[in-house]
Amino acid sequence: MALMITDECINCDVCEPECPNGAISPGDEIYVIEPSLCTECVGHYDTPQCVEVCPVDCIPKDPKHAENHDELMAKYQRLNAAD
Ligand code: SF4
Ligand code: SF4
């Protein structure tokens, strides 16, 4: 499942540089995650790095983008094959 940033985001900027996939960017009002780029950090780290650093815990799983571990790993491999 890709993750999503809720409106509790305080625009602290700390998550953006932690994302190994460049999936996080400043949106119009709060930071946003591009679901096609988010692997929940599968392939890079054991835990979602943005969740680790977010001071207000506003990054839950996005129920609109349900993916299991194998699908996330396949996404990681697709993204890295394109490098
Ligand atoms: Fe990026 Fe990982 Fe957060 Fe997804 S879970 S947005 S890949 S840091
Ligand atoms: Fe928003 Fe959390 Fe990212 Fe800070 S770390 S910009 S509060 S989502």
Side-chain angles (χ1 to χ4, degrees):
M1 234 182 248
L3 303 190
M4 58 179 283
I5 294 173
T6 73
D7 61 10
E8 290 166 73
C9 171
I10 56 171
N11 291 315
C12 72
D13 306 336
V14 303
C15 57
E16 182 182 8
E18 299 300 326
C19 180
N21 294 316
I24 303 174
S25 61
D28 289 340
E29 294 179 9
I30 55 170
Y31 274 73
V32 293
I33 292 174
E34 166 52 50
S36 67
L37 297 178
C38 176
T39 64
E40 285 187 46
C41 287
V42 166
H44 290 282
Y45 299 104
D46 291 339
T47 55
Q49 297 300 289
C50 55
V51 174
E52 295 283 332
V53 298
C54 180
V56 294
D57 290 334
C58 68
I59 315 181
K61 294 189 180 206
D62 183 350
K64 292 203 291 284
H65 295 280
E67 293 157 298
N68 64 30
H69 187 275
D70 286 350
E71 289 168 327
L72 291 168
M73 183 57 83
K75 189 195 284 187
Y76 161 78
Q77 287 167 344
R78 269 199 314 278
L79 290 170
N80 283 276
D83 281 348

